[in-house]
Amino acid sequence: MTGNLLEPASVDQLRSRFNGRIVTLDDGDYEDVRAIFNAMIAARPQVIARCADAADVAAALAFARANRLEVAVRSGGHSVAGASLVDGGLVIDTRLMNDATVDPGRATVRVGGGASWADFDQAAQRHGLAATGGRVSTTGVAGLTLGGGSGWLERRFGLACDNLISAELVTADGRVVTASEDHNPELFWGLHGGGGNFGVATALTFQLHPLPEFSIALLFWPAEQGRSVAAGYRDLMRDAPEEAGGGMLFLTGPPEDFVPPHLVGTLCCGVLVTYCGPQAALREFAAPLLAAEPHGQVVTDIGYADLQCMLDDPPGYRNYWSDEHVRELPDEALDRFCRRAYDMVVPSPSQHALLPWGGAVTRGRDWPGFDRTVPWAVHPLGLWEDPADDDRAIAWARNLRADMQPWSSGDVYLNFIGDEGADRVVAGYGEDNYRRLARIKAEFDPDNVFNRWHAVQPAA
């Protein structure tokens, strides 16, 4: 463990003026509070400040500054890079700030900085409303949105950040600032993909959209049929309506009722089609895939929030993810994509995914982040249990990226990757955007206190 060793009296003093809860290594629930989604991250902070409000955040930051402690910020804890923890330092844990308040007349929602997408989606769904969130319900709203925010509804409603109306942040020096089109507009621009580089988000307000009907098709085939399924999926999504989303992937067949017994525990091919509309319209759109005779299928109307909970990945696994964006998918690219799936750790919850951009994603404003004209993302998402499989799982993800290089756009969606070096961070923003972000960083965090999430260095 690194960091200055704290005196118990100084921690007690912080507790005395704290509305939330201070957790240290001596507390019986320390390990449970410390645990994050990626079990490969072993960092052990000295203090976890479970903040109840913005005043708590400011107090925790002042304590870290006075004791020369490194700071990490946690909402959902899904950062595969381990940005939610810092060894020997202080974690600002916002999960107690998880309220979600919908204004149905204005079709907006205001959520606390520690809200999950389950909090957000369920509150919105009660009013027939929705906005793009993550691909599971347990991800933190703040972390995903500030990093851009890819999800199942993006082709219809844009990325999560495209629907951000305003954000409240506590800066490194304890100030509470609002960022919107009218207040700190340059900071507001930076929050649309610039991540947690500028402060701690304590509240966010989003535009919502009517979503009266939603449906899905979840289809499974044996892995050896994956190549033909991939070609069919590519062709289907080439001119797909914006209502259609989802992805094609190789995965271990899960032990669910809708998966045939002969596919459970084996490498198989799956397609999820999401549709912002009724089941009948979905069936018409997905007819070519249904005609390919999947061995297992679920085609149904479902609440969007219910889908999100259905797909939750289990915590406690070792994780390694990566991302490569490709400008086209010729047959050779599909050949490479499908062959590499056999290098996955099986059985495991890993996913070897092909995700379509397009639709409303391409209409996003000139925010920092990846090239939105690129039509496809290749996303190896590795989850496994045995440390002996580390090298194999990491090599699989890296080799899949290498396979796609002939068609790569060179950019990256940073929420999809761990620590892949400074060059990949710049590629994720674009060089001009990175320089602009560095100037914003110099204004709001000149000492680089917030340096855990794909860090932007402050401009000189």
Side-chain angles (χ1 to χ4, degrees):
M1 180 182 295
T2 59
N4 299 308
L5 189 62
L6 294 171
E7 294 291 337
S10 66
V11 178
D12 289 341
Q13 187 176 20
L14 175 61
R15 280 195 177 100
S16 70
R17 61 179 189 272
F18 210 73
N19 297 314
R21 179 167 175 245
I22 299 298
V23 178
T24 63
L25 289 89
D26 296 329
D27 287 300
D29 60 346
Y30 173 85
E31 292 298 338
D32 290 338
V33 175
R34 187 203 71 88
I36 59 172
F37 192 74
N38 186 358
M40 292 182 75
I41 307 301
R44 296 175 62 79
Q46 291 190 74
V47 177
I48 302 174
R50 305 207 67 191
C51 301
D53 51 32
D56 278 356
V57 173
L61 287 168
F63 180 84
R65 185 166 58 249
N67 290 278
R68 301 189 301 281
L69 296 175
E70 289 286 319
V71 171
V73 181
R74 175 185 183 152
S75 54
H78 275 251
S79 165
V80 70
S84 305
L85 292 178
V86 57
D87 201 34
L90 180 144
V91 172
I92 294 175
D93 183 339
T94 63
R95 284 178 290 172
L96 297 179
M97 305 162 60
N98 67 343
D99 55 297
T101 304
V102 175
D103 183 335
R106 294 177 176 167
T108 61
V109 60
R110 178 181 169 91
V111 299
S116 69
W117 285 105
D119 300 317
F120 182 113
D121 295 331
Q122 290 167 14
Q125 184 166 288
R126 286 193 286 270
H127 301 277
L129 301 168
T132 304
R135 287 182 169 81
V136 295
S137 74
T138 54
T139 306
V141 173
L144 185 112
T145 300
L146 300 184
S150 175
W152 300 125
L153 299 182
E154 64 198 3
R155 287 176 43 82
R156 182 68 182 90
F157 300 132
L159 302 184
C161 73
D162 295 334
N163 298 291
L164 183 65
I165 297 173
S166 68
E168 177 188 277
L169 268 71
V170 179
T171 61
D173 59 5
R175 288 179 297 143
V176 179
V177 300
T178 297
S180 66
E181 293 283 8
D182 300 321
H183 298 89
N184 297 303
E186 190 69 358
L187 174 61
F188 187 60
W189 175 86
L191 296 179
H192 288 73
N197 272 292
F198 313 110
V200 181
T202 52
L204 304 101
T205 302
F206 293 84
Q207 186 67 58
L208 298 173
H209 308 274
L211 187 63
E213 295 181 281
F214 186 73
S215 54
I216 63 166
L218 188 57
L219 314 174
F220 292 92
W221 294 263
E224 55 267 25
Q225 292 182 240
R227 176 60 180 80
S228 61
V229 172
Y233 183 71
R234 172 196 61 189
D235 297 342
L236 179 70
M237 293 304 298
R238 183 176 288 127
D239 298 310
E242 293 183 359
E243 288 79 7
M248 177 264 173
L249 64 159
F250 288 90
L251 75 166
T252 301
E256 302 289 350
D257 292 342
F258 51 79
V259 179
H262 67 281
L263 295 183
V264 172
T266 69
L267 183 68
C268 62
C269 169
V271 171
L272 171 65
V273 181
T274 62
Y275 201 86
C276 297
Q279 180 188 154
L282 165 65
R283 285 186 177 275
E284 181 178 355
F285 166 71
L289 292 175
L290 296 173
E293 299 181 348
H295 288 216
Q297 62 177 284
V298 175
V299 184
T300 185
D301 296 301
I302 190 173
Y304 167 67
D306 303 315
L307 167 69
Q308 296 289 77
C309 296
M310 186 176 87
L311 297 176
D312 283 348
D313 292 325
Y317 283 87
R318 304 174 76 78
N319 279 242
Y320 189 89
W321 315 344
S322 196
D323 178 39
E324 198 69 39
H325 296 174
V326 294
R327 295 195 178 279
E328 56 181 340
L329 275 175
D331 287 346
E332 183 182 354
L334 286 184
D335 290 342
R336 295 187 183 190
F337 175 82
C338 295
R339 282 198 302 266
R340 188 62 66 182
Y342 289 87
D343 292 343
M344 278 199 305
V345 176
V346 175
S348 80
S350 295
Q351 298 177 10
H352 185 91
L354 179 64
L355 303 173
W357 300 122
V361 174
T362 65
R363 298 197 300 274
R365 289 176 46 182
D366 186 23
W367 307 120
F370 64 88
D371 181 354
R372 296 196 186 201
T373 67
V374 176
W376 294 100
V378 173
H379 180 33
L381 190 150
L383 301 94
W384 65 99
E385 291 184 279
D386 190 345
D389 288 325
D390 287 1
D391 290 345
R392 174 184 168 189
I394 293 170
W396 153 70
R398 291 175 175 173
N399 288 336
L400 179 58
R401 277 196 60 215
D403 289 344
M404 296 296 107
Q405 286 304 305
W407 306 279
S408 173
S409 65
D411 65 328
V412 60
Y413 171 49
L414 292 174
N415 274 350
F416 275 174
I417 71 170
D419 184 0
E420 296 185 4
D423 289 345
R424 284 279 272 173
V425 173
V426 174
Y429 297 127
E431 291 185 3
D432 290 342
N433 287 337
Y434 182 89
R435 286 190 286 269
R436 186 174 173 184
L437 291 168
R439 294 192 292 271
I440 302 170
K441 180 82 167 181
E443 178 180 354
F444 289 94
D445 183 21
D447 297 325
N448 200 22
V449 170
F450 304 110
N451 58 28
R452 304 287 298 159
W453 189 93
H454 301 302
V456 172
Q457 299 300 316

